[in-house]
PDB file of all heavy atoms in Angstrom:
ATOM      1  N   LEU A 371      10.591  -8.238   8.383  1.00 74.00           N
ATOM      2  CA  LEU A 371      10.212  -8.673   7.021  1.00 74.00           C
ATOM      3  C   LEU A 371      11.439  -9.140   6.245  1.00 74.00           C
ATOM      4  O   LEU A 371      12.545  -8.599   6.394  1.00 74.00           O
ATOM      5  CB  LEU A 371       9.504  -7.497   6.279  1.00 74.00           C
ATOM      6  CG  LEU A 371       8.284  -6.890   6.937  1.00 74.00           C
ATOM      7  CD1 LEU A 371       7.678  -5.749   5.995  1.00 74.00           C
ATOM      8  CD2 LEU A 371       7.074  -8.010   7.036  1.00 74.00           C
ATOM      9  N   THR A 372      11.140 -10.002   5.224  1.00 81.00           N
ATOM     10  CA  THR A 372      12.151 -10.424   4.327  1.00 81.00           C
ATOM     11  C   THR A 372      12.221  -9.379   3.196  1.00 81.00           C
ATOM     12  O   THR A 372      11.391  -8.499   2.925  1.00 81.00           O
ATOM     13  CB  THR A 372      11.717 -11.696   3.606  1.00 81.00           C
ATOM     14  OG1 THR A 372      10.698 -11.500   2.785  1.00 81.00           O
ATOM     15  CG2 THR A 372      11.584 -12.799   4.677  1.00 81.00           C
ATOM     16  N   PHE A 373      13.415  -9.397   2.408  1.00 86.00           N
ATOM     17  CA  PHE A 373      13.606  -8.422   1.339  1.00 86.00           C
ATOM     18  C   PHE A 373      12.531  -8.705   0.312  1.00 86.00           C
ATOM     19  O   PHE A 373      12.030  -7.673  -0.279  1.00 86.00           O
ATOM     20  CB  PHE A 373      14.901  -8.684   0.632  1.00 86.00           C
ATOM     21  CG  PHE A 373      16.078  -8.336   1.532  1.00 86.00           C
ATOM     22  CD1 PHE A 373      17.292  -9.173   1.641  1.00 86.00           C
ATOM     23  CD2 PHE A 373      16.170  -7.006   2.250  1.00 86.00           C
ATOM     24  CE1 PHE A 373      18.293  -8.739   2.435  1.00 86.00           C
ATOM     25  CE2 PHE A 373      17.226  -6.624   2.980  1.00 86.00           C
ATOM     26  CZ  PHE A 373      18.272  -7.575   3.129  1.00 86.00           C
ATOM     27  N   THR A 374      12.018  -9.906   0.081  1.00 84.00           N
ATOM     28  CA  THR A 374      10.889 -10.174  -0.855  1.00 84.00           C
ATOM     29  C   THR A 374       9.654  -9.430  -0.346  1.00 84.00           C
ATOM     30  O   THR A 374       8.931  -8.816  -1.196  1.00 84.00           O
ATOM     31  CB  THR A 374      10.689 -11.636  -0.863  1.00 84.00           C
ATOM     32  OG1 THR A 374      11.888 -12.268  -1.391  1.00 84.00           O
ATOM     33  CG2 THR A 374       9.575 -11.895  -1.989  1.00 84.00           C
ATOM     34  N   GLU A 375       9.386  -9.535   0.953  1.00 77.00           N
ATOM     35  CA  GLU A 375       8.116  -8.882   1.474  1.00 77.00           C
ATOM     36  C   GLU A 375       8.240  -7.354   1.397  1.00 77.00           C
ATOM     37  O   GLU A 375       7.281  -6.668   1.118  1.00 77.00           O
ATOM     38  CB  GLU A 375       7.830  -9.318   2.924  1.00 77.00           C
ATOM     39  CG  GLU A 375       7.471 -10.789   3.012  1.00 77.00           C
ATOM     40  CD  GLU A 375       7.503 -11.325   4.458  1.00 77.00           C
ATOM     41  OE1 GLU A 375       8.474 -10.868   5.168  1.00 77.00           O
ATOM     42  OE2 GLU A 375       6.675 -12.209   4.696  1.00 77.00           O
ATOM     43  N   ILE A 376       9.455  -6.884   1.701  1.00 82.00           N
ATOM     44  CA  ILE A 376       9.689  -5.391   1.596  1.00 82.00           C
ATOM     45  C   ILE A 376       9.402  -4.905   0.122  1.00 82.00           C
ATOM     46  O   ILE A 376       8.874  -3.949  -0.147  1.00 82.00           O
ATOM     47  CB  ILE A 376      11.031  -4.915   2.188  1.00 82.00           C
ATOM     48  CG1 ILE A 376      11.082  -5.297   3.665  1.00 82.00           C
ATOM     49  CG2 ILE A 376      11.297  -3.592   1.920  1.00 82.00           C
ATOM     50  CD1 ILE A 376      12.469  -5.224   4.243  1.00 82.00           C
ATOM     51  N   ALA A 377       9.980  -5.701  -0.788  1.00 81.00           N
ATOM     52  CA  ALA A 377       9.972  -5.355  -2.195  1.00 81.00           C
ATOM     53  C   ALA A 377       8.349  -5.320  -2.526  1.00 81.00           C
ATOM     54  O   ALA A 377       7.994  -4.387  -3.352  1.00 81.00           O
ATOM     55  CB  ALA A 377      10.697  -6.313  -3.021  1.00 81.00           C
ATOM     56  N   GLU A 378       7.622  -6.297  -2.127  1.00 75.00           N
ATOM     57  CA  GLU A 378       6.268  -6.337  -2.396  1.00 75.00           C
ATOM     58  C   GLU A 378       5.437  -5.133  -1.861  1.00 75.00           C
ATOM     59  O   GLU A 378       4.702  -4.567  -2.551  1.00 75.00           O
ATOM     60  CB  GLU A 378       5.613  -7.688  -1.911  1.00 75.00           C
ATOM     61  CG  GLU A 378       6.019  -8.782  -2.612  1.00 75.00           C
ATOM     62  CD  GLU A 378       5.502 -10.097  -1.975  1.00 75.00           C
ATOM     63  OE1 GLU A 378       4.619  -9.995  -1.077  1.00 75.00           O
ATOM     64  OE2 GLU A 378       5.947 -11.270  -2.357  1.00 75.00           O
ATOM     65  N   LEU A 379       5.892  -4.824  -0.594  1.00 73.00           N
ATOM     66  CA  LEU A 379       5.146  -3.562   0.003  1.00 73.00           C
ATOM     67  C   LEU A 379       5.555  -2.241  -0.713  1.00 73.00           C
ATOM     68  O   LEU A 379       4.669  -1.332  -0.730  1.00 73.00           O
ATOM     69  CB  LEU A 379       5.573  -3.486   1.477  1.00 73.00           C
ATOM     70  CG  LEU A 379       4.918  -4.517   2.380  1.00 73.00           C
ATOM     71  CD1 LEU A 379       5.618  -4.520   3.820  1.00 73.00           C
ATOM     72  CD2 LEU A 379       3.487  -4.218   2.552  1.00 73.00           C
ATOM     73  N   THR A 380       6.788  -2.229  -1.015  1.00 75.00           N
ATOM     74  CA  THR A 380       7.318  -0.791  -1.689  1.00 75.00           C
ATOM     75  C   THR A 380       7.076  -0.864  -3.119  1.00 75.00           C
ATOM     76  O   THR A 380       7.165   0.290  -3.684  1.00 75.00           O
ATOM     77  CB  THR A 380       8.840  -0.625  -1.266  1.00 75.00           C
ATOM     78  OG1 THR A 380       9.573  -1.637  -1.801  1.00 75.00           O
ATOM     79  CG2 THR A 380       8.943  -0.558   0.252  1.00 75.00           C
ATOM     80  N   GLY A 381       6.886  -2.055  -3.792  1.00 80.00           N
ATOM     81  CA  GLY A 381       6.809  -1.873  -5.225  1.00 80.00           C
ATOM     82  C   GLY A 381       8.141  -1.793  -5.818  1.00 80.00           C
ATOM     83  O   GLY A 381       8.154  -1.376  -7.078  1.00 80.00           O
ATOM     84  N   GLU A 382       9.159  -2.078  -5.195  1.00 87.00           N
ATOM     85  CA  GLU A 382      10.627  -1.845  -5.773  1.00 87.00           C
ATOM     86  C   GLU A 382      11.104  -3.273  -6.034  1.00 87.00           C
ATOM     87  O   GLU A 382      10.720  -4.225  -5.400  1.00 87.00           O
ATOM     88  CB  GLU A 382      11.363  -1.072  -4.817  1.00 87.00           C
ATOM     89  CG  GLU A 382      11.002   0.190  -4.608  1.00 87.00           C
ATOM     90  CD  GLU A 382      11.860   1.060  -3.483  1.00 87.00           C
ATOM     91  OE1 GLU A 382      12.181   0.354  -2.543  1.00 87.00           O
ATOM     92  OE2 GLU A 382      12.176   2.158  -3.772  1.00 87.00           O
ATOM     93  N   PRO A 383      12.137  -3.368  -6.823  1.00 92.00           N
ATOM     94  CA  PRO A 383      12.773  -4.706  -7.033  1.00 92.00           C
ATOM     95  C   PRO A 383      13.514  -5.132  -5.744  1.00 92.00           C
ATOM     96  O   PRO A 383      13.960  -4.305  -5.068  1.00 92.00           O
ATOM     97  CB  PRO A 383      13.782  -4.364  -8.178  1.00 92.00           C
ATOM     98  CG  PRO A 383      13.361  -3.118  -8.777  1.00 92.00           C
ATOM     99  CD  PRO A 383      12.616  -2.438  -7.803  1.00 92.00           C
ATOM    100  N   GLN A 384      13.522  -6.381  -5.617  1.00 90.00           N
ATOM    101  CA  GLN A 384      14.086  -6.875  -4.409  1.00 90.00           C
ATOM    102  C   GLN A 384      15.587  -6.694  -4.300  1.00 90.00           C
ATOM    103  O   GLN A 384      16.178  -6.393  -3.219  1.00 90.00           O
ATOM    104  CB  GLN A 384      13.980  -8.520  -4.389  1.00 90.00           C
ATOM    105  CG  GLN A 384      14.459  -9.157  -3.163  1.00 90.00           C
ATOM    106  CD  GLN A 384      14.311 -10.710  -3.149  1.00 90.00           C
ATOM    107  OE1 GLN A 384      13.518 -11.164  -3.930  1.00 90.00           O
ATOM    108  NE2 GLN A 384      15.040 -11.424  -2.306  1.00 90.00           N
TER     109      GLN A 384
END
Side-chain angles (χ1 to χ4, degrees):
L371 300 179
T372 65
F373 291 133
T374 303
E375 292 168 326
I376 296 170
E378 289 172 9
L379 284 171
T380 61
E382 298 176 317
Q384 183 178 343

